[in-house]
Amino acid sequence: MRTKIHPYYYLAGFIGLLLGYIISKVYQIWVIVYLERDSRVDILPLFWETIYKKPALFTFNVVLIFILICITFVKMLLSRSRTK
């Protein structure tokens, strides 16, 4: 017998997809602007090589992380609401 997947999991996946995509693009833009201007600080941002050489891989990883975080959050909330 198959059990139905709660619709909140799909909503959490979609919200994680949107948040991850937006945050990854904002971070990519910030890194590119930071590296293009002449900064006097010798500290480079995290993952700057991946952003320059493989931006799609960086975006995929960030989106995947946010989807997993959102689904885990929904799973915790649903399990807590079922116990009450």
Side-chain angles (χ1 to χ4, degrees):
M1 179 188 239
R2 294 181 80 177
T3 59
K4 286 187 169 182
I5 297 175
H6 201 282
Y8 286 162
Y9 288 113
Y10 296 112
L11 181 63
F14 182 69
I15 289 173
L17 179 108
L18 288 177
L19 285 176
Y21 186 76
I22 290 170
I23 289 175
S24 71
K25 291 303 172 185
V26 167
Y27 187 70
Q28 284 177 344
I29 291 169
W30 176 79
V31 167
I32 290 170
V33 168
Y34 181 82
L35 292 175
E36 291 299 322
R37 69 178 184 163
D38 291 330
S39 63
R40 295 172 191 236
V41 181
D42 291 333
I43 299 172
L44 295 173
L46 290 175
F47 310 115
W48 71 273
E49 288 181 2
T50 308
I51 291 172
Y52 256 54
K53 295 178 183 175
K54 300 176 185 175
L57 179 65
F58 176 77
T59 302
F60 176 76
N61 288 334
V62 172
V63 167
L64 183 65
I65 289 169
F66 271 87
I67 287 173
L68 292 175
I69 288 171
C70 289
I71 289 175
T72 305
F73 185 68
V74 166
K75 187 173 184 175
M76 288 176 10
L77 286 177
L78 286 177
S79 67
R80 186 173 289 194
S81 69
R82 288 180 184 149
T83 58
K84 287 185 179 181

